[in-house]
Amino acid sequence: MAARANKQTNNEPEHIQEQITDVEYSDVMKKSYIDYSMSVIIARALPDIRDGLKPVQRRIIYDMSELGTFSDKPYKKSARITGDTMGKYHPHGDMSIYDALVVMSQDFKKGRKLVDGHGNFGSIEGDGAAAQRYTEARLDSFSEDVFLSDLKEDVVDFIPNYDESEKEPEILPCKLPNFLINGSEGIAVGMATNTPPHNISDVVDTSICFLNNPDTSNNDLLEILHGPDFPTGGIIVNKKDLEEIYATGAGKIRIRGKVKFEQGKGSGKDKLVITEIPYTMAGDGISKFLQSVAQLAEDGVLPEIADIEDQTSKDGIRIVLELKKGSDYQYAENVLYKKTRLEDTFGVNMLAVHDGRPEVMGLKGILSAYAKFQYEINTRKYHNLLAKTEKRIEILEGLIKATDEIDLVIEILRGSKSVKQTKECLISGSTDKITFKTKISEKKSKITAFYTCTG
C-alpha cells in the first residue's frame, strides 16, 4: 500500500502535514492477531501453573477476600461479588465472572471446590444455576488456607488493575499444586487446556516424594498419584497409557461408568444400576445418555431394556435400567459401553502459562514448577519476617538501653525544645540547643554508639 508522505494539502494549515507510511497489510494483520491471541491466552483462557487459576478465578477469590466473605462469615449476594470483581479487576462482562463463580462452587466439576455456594448453583444433571441476584456465596475454607493465608506476608507482587485505580496480586501464593488438584479446561486462540482433577491426598504425597527426591522417575510418581480422580467417578480403561500421558502432558483417557447388576427379588425385575459416570457426562450429558438408551431400546438394538429411571439425587448418581425377564445383562452392559457415552474419551492436554508463555507440561514439569514457586514465595516470606524481626530487635535493644539510662533520657526530653531535637539527640547524639544540667550529661549524650539502637 503506497502513498505520499509529508505533502501539504490545500485545506490544511501550513504547520499540519500528512504523515502516511508504507505498510504491508498482511504484516499489520499478523501482528494484531498475535497480540490478540496472546491477550486471550495469558489474560483469560489459560491457568497459571503456579496457582492453577485463570485470571478471572484469581480475581474472584481476591475480591471475595477484600469483601470479607470468608468461610466463617455470612454469605453475600453473588451479584455483589460479581459486580465488585467486574468493577475493580475483571472488565469482561458479569456473566463470564458469574459462570466462573458457579463452576468454582460445583463439587462435581472440581476436585476441591473453591467457593461455598448457597442456593441453586446447578446440578450434575445439567440444571443451570439460578440468576446471580438469587444466589449467595462465600469463600471455602480450602481457598483461605491454600491461596490467601500468606497473601499479607508480601510474598507476591501486586500490579495495577485495568484502569490503574486498584492493585491486584499478580499471582496468589498457593501452597498446593492446584493445577493438578482441580484441573482446568479452557479454549484459547489456537490452543486449549484440558487437565483432569486428581485426589488431593495423592497429589500431596506425590509432591512430598518429588520434593524429597527430584530425580524420582515418572513411573514411581505415578505409583503414588495413580492417575486422575474424577469427582463423578468412573473407571479408567486404558491405564497402560497413563505413563505416556503423564510424561508428555497430552493423550486420551478412556473412562467407563460403573455399572452393577441387581437381581430382582420375588416378581421384581433384574436391573442394571449406574452409580458412576464418565466425567464428560456431567451436566446435560446425562439427559442425552438417557435419550440415547431409550432410542436404542426403541430401535431394537437394546431390546433387553424394559424401563429407564433416573434416581440421581444429592446423595449421588443412580440411573436404573430395568431388564426384561430372561435378558442377558452382560450383553446389555456391553452395548451400553459401545453405543452410548457410558464409555467416553477425555482428551488430556495439560497446557498452562509457565514463565509467561503457554506450555504443555508433564507431571515432573508441573511438580518442578510447583517446587520452584514454593521456594520463591517461602524465601521471600522468611526474608520479610527476618527483616521485621531485626527491626523489632533493634527497637527493643534501644528501649532496654534507654531504660538503663532513664534519668539521662528524661534530662534530654526536658532540655529539648522540640520532638525533633529529642530524636536527633537520641539517634545521632546531636546536643545542639538542648539544655543539660551538667557537662557530664551533655558529653554522655554525644556517645552516638549508645543511641543508634533507639531509632
Side-chain angles (χ1 to χ4, degrees), residues 323-369:
L323 302 176
K324 295 177 181 177
K325 287 187 177 181
S327 296
D328 184 348
Y329 74 90
Q330 291 180 328
Y331 171 79
E333 183 178 339
N334 290 332
V335 172
L336 289 174
Y337 288 138
K338 187 175 181 179
K339 298 289 186 179
T340 73
R341 292 183 63 187
L342 193 60
E343 181 177 320
D344 206 358
T345 300
F346 182 91
V348 177
N349 193 42
M350 296 193 281
L351 177 69
V353 177
H354 181 220
D355 290 337
R357 62 186 182 87
E359 182 179 340
V360 178
M361 307 180 72
L363 178 59
K364 291 195 71 172
I366 293 169
L367 294 174
S368 178

Short mmCIF file of all heavy atoms in Angstrom, two decimals, residues 323-369:
data_model
loop_
_atom_site.label_atom_id
_atom_site.label_comp_id
_atom_site.label_asym_id
_atom_site.label_seq_id
_atom_site.Cartn_x
_atom_site.Cartn_y
_atom_site.Cartn_z
N LEU A 323 -34.57 -54.54 33.31
CA LEU A 323 -34.38 -55.52 32.24
C LEU A 323 -35.59 -56.42 32.12
O LEU A 323 -36.27 -56.74 33.12
CB LEU A 323 -33.14 -56.36 32.52
CG LEU A 323 -31.80 -55.61 32.67
CD1 LEU A 323 -30.70 -56.59 33.05
CD2 LEU A 323 -31.45 -54.89 31.39
N LYS A 324 -35.85 -56.83 30.89
CA LYS A 324 -36.93 -57.80 30.68
C LYS A 324 -36.49 -59.16 31.19
O LYS A 324 -35.29 -59.43 31.32
CB LYS A 324 -37.25 -57.88 29.18
CG LYS A 324 -37.82 -56.58 28.62
CD LYS A 324 -38.07 -56.70 27.11
CE LYS A 324 -38.61 -55.39 26.56
NZ LYS A 324 -38.80 -55.46 25.08
N LYS A 325 -37.45 -60.00 31.50
CA LYS A 325 -37.16 -61.32 32.03
C LYS A 325 -36.34 -62.13 31.03
O LYS A 325 -36.62 -62.13 29.83
CB LYS A 325 -38.45 -62.06 32.37
CG LYS A 325 -39.14 -61.51 33.62
CD LYS A 325 -40.31 -62.38 34.02
CE LYS A 325 -40.95 -61.86 35.30
NZ LYS A 325 -42.10 -62.70 35.74
N GLY A 326 -35.33 -62.82 31.57
CA GLY A 326 -34.51 -63.67 30.72
C GLY A 326 -33.46 -62.92 29.92
O GLY A 326 -32.81 -63.52 29.06
N SER A 327 -33.27 -61.63 30.19
CA SER A 327 -32.30 -60.84 29.43
C SER A 327 -30.87 -61.17 29.86
O SER A 327 -30.61 -61.50 31.02
CB SER A 327 -32.57 -59.35 29.62
OG SER A 327 -33.82 -58.99 29.11
N ASP A 328 -29.96 -61.03 28.90
CA ASP A 328 -28.53 -61.20 29.17
C ASP A 328 -27.98 -59.84 29.59
O ASP A 328 -27.75 -58.97 28.75
CB ASP A 328 -27.83 -61.72 27.91
CG ASP A 328 -26.35 -62.01 28.15
OD1 ASP A 328 -25.83 -61.61 29.22
OD2 ASP A 328 -25.71 -62.60 27.26
N TYR A 329 -27.80 -59.65 30.90
CA TYR A 329 -27.39 -58.32 31.39
C TYR A 329 -25.98 -57.96 30.95
O TYR A 329 -25.66 -56.78 30.75
CB TYR A 329 -27.52 -58.25 32.91
CG TYR A 329 -26.46 -59.00 33.69
CD1 TYR A 329 -25.27 -58.37 34.06
CD2 TYR A 329 -26.64 -60.33 34.06
CE1 TYR A 329 -24.31 -59.05 34.78
CE2 TYR A 329 -25.68 -61.01 34.76
CZ TYR A 329 -24.51 -60.37 35.13
OH TYR A 329 -23.55 -61.04 35.83
N GLN A 330 -25.11 -58.95 30.78
CA GLN A 330 -23.74 -58.65 30.34
C GLN A 330 -23.72 -58.14 28.90
O GLN A 330 -22.96 -57.24 28.56
CB GLN A 330 -22.86 -59.91 30.47
CG GLN A 330 -22.61 -60.30 31.92
CD GLN A 330 -21.74 -61.55 32.04
OE1 GLN A 330 -21.79 -62.44 31.18
NE2 GLN A 330 -20.95 -61.63 33.11
N TYR A 331 -24.58 -58.71 28.06
CA TYR A 331 -24.70 -58.21 26.69
C TYR A 331 -25.21 -56.78 26.69
O TYR A 331 -24.69 -55.91 25.97
CB TYR A 331 -25.65 -59.11 25.88
CG TYR A 331 -25.99 -58.55 24.52
CD1 TYR A 331 -25.10 -58.66 23.46
CD2 TYR A 331 -27.21 -57.90 24.32
CE1 TYR A 331 -25.41 -58.12 22.21
CE2 TYR A 331 -27.53 -57.36 23.08
CZ TYR A 331 -26.62 -57.47 22.02
OH TYR A 331 -26.94 -56.94 20.79
N ALA A 332 -26.24 -56.52 27.50
CA ALA A 332 -26.80 -55.17 27.58
C ALA A 332 -25.75 -54.17 28.06
O ALA A 332 -25.65 -53.05 27.54
CB ALA A 332 -28.01 -55.17 28.52
N GLU A 333 -24.96 -54.58 29.03
CA GLU A 333 -23.91 -53.70 29.55
C GLU A 333 -22.87 -53.39 28.46
O GLU A 333 -22.46 -52.24 28.31
CB GLU A 333 -23.23 -54.37 30.74
CG GLU A 333 -22.17 -53.51 31.41
CD GLU A 333 -21.57 -54.20 32.63
OE1 GLU A 333 -22.21 -55.12 33.18
OE2 GLU A 333 -20.44 -53.82 33.01
N ASN A 334 -22.49 -54.39 27.70
CA ASN A 334 -21.51 -54.18 26.63
C ASN A 334 -22.05 -53.24 25.55
O ASN A 334 -21.31 -52.42 25.00
CB ASN A 334 -21.09 -55.51 26.01
CG ASN A 334 -20.24 -56.34 26.95
OD1 ASN A 334 -19.55 -55.80 27.81
ND2 ASN A 334 -20.30 -57.66 26.81
N VAL A 335 -23.34 -53.37 25.22
CA VAL A 335 -23.95 -52.48 24.24
C VAL A 335 -23.95 -51.04 24.75
O VAL A 335 -23.70 -50.10 24.00
CB VAL A 335 -25.39 -52.94 23.90
CG1 VAL A 335 -26.09 -51.90 23.03
CG2 VAL A 335 -25.36 -54.28 23.21
N LEU A 336 -24.21 -50.87 26.03
CA LEU A 336 -24.20 -49.52 26.61
C LEU A 336 -22.81 -48.88 26.47
O LEU A 336 -22.69 -47.70 26.14
CB LEU A 336 -24.59 -49.58 28.09
CG LEU A 336 -26.06 -49.91 28.39
CD1 LEU A 336 -26.25 -50.09 29.90
CD2 LEU A 336 -26.97 -48.81 27.88
N TYR A 337 -21.78 -49.67 26.72
CA TYR A 337 -20.43 -49.14 26.59
C TYR A 337 -20.10 -48.80 25.13
O TYR A 337 -19.42 -47.80 24.84
CB TYR A 337 -19.40 -50.16 27.11
CG TYR A 337 -19.38 -50.30 28.62
CD1 TYR A 337 -19.28 -51.56 29.20
CD2 TYR A 337 -19.45 -49.19 29.44
CE1 TYR A 337 -19.26 -51.70 30.58
CE2 TYR A 337 -19.44 -49.32 30.82
CZ TYR A 337 -19.34 -50.58 31.39
OH TYR A 337 -19.32 -50.71 32.75
N LYS A 338 -20.59 -49.62 24.22
CA LYS A 338 -20.22 -49.46 22.82
C LYS A 338 -21.05 -48.39 22.11
O LYS A 338 -20.52 -47.64 21.27
CB LYS A 338 -20.39 -50.80 22.09
CG LYS A 338 -19.88 -50.80 20.67
CD LYS A 338 -19.96 -52.19 20.05
CE LYS A 338 -19.43 -52.18 18.62
NZ LYS A 338 -19.47 -53.53 18.00
N LYS A 339 -22.32 -48.28 22.45
CA LYS A 339 -23.23 -47.44 21.68
C LYS A 339 -23.58 -46.11 22.35
O LYS A 339 -24.23 -45.26 21.74
CB LYS A 339 -24.54 -48.19 21.41
CG LYS A 339 -24.37 -49.46 20.57
CD LYS A 339 -24.03 -49.12 19.13
CE LYS A 339 -24.02 -50.38 18.28
NZ LYS A 339 -23.70 -50.08 16.85
N THR A 340 -23.21 -45.95 23.62
CA THR A 340 -23.56 -44.70 24.32
C THR A 340 -22.30 -44.08 24.92
O THR A 340 -21.20 -44.63 24.83
CB THR A 340 -24.58 -44.97 25.44
OG1 THR A 340 -23.92 -45.65 26.53
CG2 THR A 340 -25.74 -45.80 24.96
N ARG A 341 -22.50 -42.95 25.58
CA ARG A 341 -21.37 -42.24 26.21
C ARG A 341 -21.05 -42.78 27.60
O ARG A 341 -20.33 -42.16 28.36
CB ARG A 341 -21.68 -40.74 26.31
CG ARG A 341 -21.72 -40.04 24.96
CD ARG A 341 -21.95 -38.56 25.11
NE ARG A 341 -20.85 -37.92 25.82
CZ ARG A 341 -20.86 -36.64 26.21
NH1 ARG A 341 -21.92 -35.88 25.97
NH2 ARG A 341 -19.84 -36.12 26.84
N LEU A 342 -21.58 -43.97 27.91
CA LEU A 342 -21.22 -44.58 29.18
C LEU A 342 -19.74 -44.97 29.18
O LEU A 342 -19.15 -45.14 30.24
CB LEU A 342 -22.10 -45.81 29.44
CG LEU A 342 -22.05 -46.37 30.87
CD1 LEU A 342 -22.51 -45.33 31.88
CD2 LEU A 342 -22.91 -47.63 30.99
N GLU A 343 -19.17 -45.11 28.02
CA GLU A 343 -17.72 -45.16 27.87
C GLU A 343 -17.34 -44.01 26.94
O GLU A 343 -17.81 -43.94 25.81
CB GLU A 343 -17.25 -46.50 27.29
CG GLU A 343 -15.73 -46.56 27.17
CD GLU A 343 -15.22 -47.90 26.67
OE1 GLU A 343 -15.77 -48.94 27.11
OE2 GLU A 343 -14.28 -47.92 25.86
N ASP A 344 -16.50 -43.12 27.43
CA ASP A 344 -16.18 -41.92 26.67
C ASP A 344 -14.70 -41.59 26.79
O ASP A 344 -13.98 -42.14 27.63
CB ASP A 344 -17.03 -40.74 27.18
CG ASP A 344 -17.26 -39.68 26.10
OD1 ASP A 344 -16.73 -39.85 24.99
OD2 ASP A 344 -17.96 -38.70 26.39
N THR A 345 -14.26 -40.66 25.95
CA THR A 345 -12.86 -40.27 25.92
C THR A 345 -12.67 -38.88 26.52
O THR A 345 -13.42 -37.96 26.21
CB THR A 345 -12.32 -40.25 24.47
OG1 THR A 345 -12.45 -41.56 23.92
CG2 THR A 345 -10.86 -39.84 24.43
N PHE A 346 -11.68 -38.77 27.40
CA PHE A 346 -11.28 -37.48 27.95
C PHE A 346 -9.94 -37.12 27.36
O PHE A 346 -8.93 -37.79 27.60
CB PHE A 346 -11.19 -37.55 29.48
CG PHE A 346 -10.82 -36.25 30.14
CD1 PHE A 346 -11.81 -35.36 30.55
CD2 PHE A 346 -9.49 -35.91 30.36
CE1 PHE A 346 -11.47 -34.16 31.16
CE2 PHE A 346 -9.15 -34.72 30.96
CZ PHE A 346 -10.14 -33.84 31.37
N GLY A 347 -9.91 -36.08 26.54
CA GLY A 347 -8.66 -35.66 25.91
C GLY A 347 -7.82 -34.83 26.85
O GLY A 347 -8.20 -33.73 27.25
N VAL A 348 -6.66 -35.33 27.23
CA VAL A 348 -5.77 -34.65 28.18
C VAL A 348 -4.83 -33.73 27.41
O VAL A 348 -4.18 -34.14 26.45
CB VAL A 348 -4.95 -35.65 29.02
CG1 VAL A 348 -3.99 -34.92 29.94
CG2 VAL A 348 -5.88 -36.56 29.80
N ASN A 349 -4.77 -32.48 27.83
CA ASN A 349 -3.79 -31.53 27.29
C ASN A 349 -3.43 -30.58 28.42
O ASN A 349 -4.09 -29.57 28.64
CB ASN A 349 -4.36 -30.77 26.09
CG ASN A 349 -3.29 -30.02 25.33
OD1 ASN A 349 -2.20 -30.54 25.10
ND2 ASN A 349 -3.57 -28.80 24.93
N MET A 350 -2.39 -30.93 29.17
CA MET A 350 -2.04 -30.18 30.37
C MET A 350 -1.24 -28.93 30.00
O MET A 350 -0.03 -28.84 30.15
CB MET A 350 -1.27 -31.07 31.35
CG MET A 350 -2.14 -32.22 31.85
SD MET A 350 -1.50 -33.13 33.27
CE MET A 350 -0.30 -34.19 32.48
N LEU A 351 -1.99 -27.95 29.49
CA LEU A 351 -1.43 -26.69 29.00
C LEU A 351 -1.65 -25.60 30.04
O LEU A 351 -2.76 -25.42 30.55
CB LEU A 351 -2.12 -26.32 27.68
CG LEU A 351 -1.73 -25.00 27.03
CD1 LEU A 351 -0.31 -25.04 26.50
CD2 LEU A 351 -2.70 -24.66 25.90
N ALA A 352 -0.60 -24.87 30.36
CA ALA A 352 -0.69 -23.78 31.34
C ALA A 352 0.32 -22.70 30.99
O ALA A 352 1.23 -22.92 30.18
CB ALA A 352 -0.45 -24.31 32.75
N VAL A 353 0.13 -21.55 31.62
CA VAL A 353 1.10 -20.46 31.44
C VAL A 353 2.28 -20.71 32.37
O VAL A 353 2.11 -20.77 33.60
CB VAL A 353 0.45 -19.10 31.74
CG1 VAL A 353 1.48 -17.99 31.63
CG2 VAL A 353 -0.71 -18.84 30.79
N HIS A 354 3.46 -20.87 31.80
CA HIS A 354 4.67 -21.13 32.57
C HIS A 354 5.74 -20.14 32.13
O HIS A 354 6.09 -20.08 30.95
CB HIS A 354 5.14 -22.57 32.33
CG HIS A 354 6.36 -22.93 33.11
ND1 HIS A 354 7.38 -23.71 32.58
CD2 HIS A 354 6.75 -22.62 34.37
CE1 HIS A 354 8.32 -23.87 33.48
NE2 HIS A 354 7.97 -23.21 34.58
N ASP A 355 6.23 -19.36 33.08
CA ASP A 355 7.23 -18.32 32.78
C ASP A 355 6.74 -17.38 31.68
O ASP A 355 7.49 -16.98 30.78
CB ASP A 355 8.56 -18.94 32.37
CG ASP A 355 9.27 -19.62 33.53
OD1 ASP A 355 8.98 -19.25 34.69
OD2 ASP A 355 10.09 -20.52 33.30
N GLY A 356 5.45 -17.05 31.74
CA GLY A 356 4.90 -16.05 30.83
C GLY A 356 4.51 -16.56 29.46
O GLY A 356 4.11 -15.77 28.59
N ARG A 357 4.59 -17.86 29.22
CA ARG A 357 4.21 -18.38 27.90
C ARG A 357 3.48 -19.70 28.07
O ARG A 357 3.68 -20.43 29.05
CB ARG A 357 5.45 -18.57 27.03
CG ARG A 357 6.46 -19.57 27.56
CD ARG A 357 7.73 -19.60 26.72
NE ARG A 357 8.67 -20.59 27.21
CZ ARG A 357 8.67 -21.87 26.87
NH1 ARG A 357 7.76 -22.32 26.03
NH2 ARG A 357 9.57 -22.70 27.35
N PRO A 358 2.60 -20.05 27.12
CA PRO A 358 1.86 -21.31 27.23
C PRO A 358 2.77 -22.51 26.98
O PRO A 358 3.62 -22.48 26.09
CB PRO A 358 0.80 -21.19 26.12
CG PRO A 358 1.36 -20.21 25.15
CD PRO A 358 2.19 -19.25 25.95
N GLU A 359 2.58 -23.55 27.79
CA GLU A 359 3.44 -24.72 27.67
C GLU A 359 2.68 -25.97 28.11
O GLU A 359 2.00 -25.96 29.13
CB GLU A 359 4.69 -24.54 28.53
CG GLU A 359 5.68 -25.68 28.45
CD GLU A 359 6.91 -25.45 29.30
OE1 GLU A 359 7.19 -24.28 29.65
OE2 GLU A 359 7.59 -26.44 29.64
N VAL A 360 2.77 -27.02 27.31
CA VAL A 360 2.22 -28.32 27.69
C VAL A 360 3.23 -29.00 28.60
O VAL A 360 4.39 -29.17 28.23
CB VAL A 360 1.92 -29.19 26.45
CG1 VAL A 360 1.40 -30.56 26.89
CG2 VAL A 360 0.90 -28.51 25.55
N MET A 361 2.79 -29.40 29.79
CA MET A 361 3.72 -29.89 30.80
C MET A 361 3.35 -31.28 31.28
O MET A 361 2.17 -31.58 31.52
CB MET A 361 3.75 -28.92 31.99
CG MET A 361 4.02 -27.47 31.59
SD MET A 361 4.07 -26.36 33.00
CE MET A 361 5.62 -26.84 33.74
N GLY A 362 4.37 -32.12 31.42
CA GLY A 362 4.19 -33.44 32.01
C GLY A 362 4.18 -33.35 33.53
O GLY A 362 4.34 -32.25 34.11
N LEU A 363 4.01 -34.48 34.19
CA LEU A 363 3.89 -34.49 35.65
C LEU A 363 5.12 -33.92 36.33
O LEU A 363 5.01 -33.08 37.24
CB LEU A 363 3.64 -35.93 36.12
CG LEU A 363 3.54 -36.13 37.64
CD1 LEU A 363 2.43 -35.29 38.23
CD2 LEU A 363 3.33 -37.61 37.96
N LYS A 364 6.30 -34.32 35.90
CA LYS A 364 7.52 -33.84 36.54
C LYS A 364 7.72 -32.34 36.29
O LYS A 364 8.21 -31.62 37.16
CB LYS A 364 8.74 -34.63 36.06
CG LYS A 364 8.76 -36.08 36.53
CD LYS A 364 10.12 -36.72 36.35
CE LYS A 364 11.13 -36.15 37.32
NZ LYS A 364 12.42 -36.89 37.29
N GLY A 365 7.33 -31.87 35.11
CA GLY A 365 7.43 -30.44 34.83
C GLY A 365 6.51 -29.63 35.72
O GLY A 365 6.88 -28.55 36.21
N ILE A 366 5.30 -30.15 35.96
CA ILE A 366 4.34 -29.46 36.82
C ILE A 366 4.86 -29.41 38.26
O ILE A 366 4.82 -28.36 38.90
CB ILE A 366 2.97 -30.19 36.77
CG1 ILE A 366 2.35 -30.06 35.38
CG2 ILE A 366 2.02 -29.62 37.83
CD1 ILE A 366 1.15 -30.96 35.16
N LEU A 367 5.37 -30.52 38.75
CA LEU A 367 5.89 -30.57 40.11
C LEU A 367 7.15 -29.71 40.25
O LEU A 367 7.37 -29.10 41.31
CB LEU A 367 6.17 -32.01 40.52
CG LEU A 367 4.94 -32.92 40.64
CD1 LEU A 367 5.37 -34.35 40.91
CD2 LEU A 367 4.00 -32.42 41.73
N SER A 368 7.95 -29.66 39.22
CA SER A 368 9.15 -28.82 39.26
C SER A 368 8.79 -27.34 39.34
O SER A 368 9.38 -26.58 40.10
CB SER A 368 10.01 -29.09 38.01
OG SER A 368 11.16 -28.26 38.00
N ALA A 369 7.78 -26.93 38.55
CA ALA A 369 7.31 -25.53 38.60
C ALA A 369 6.72 -25.21 39.97
O ALA A 369 6.91 -24.12 40.50
CB ALA A 369 6.28 -25.30 37.50
#
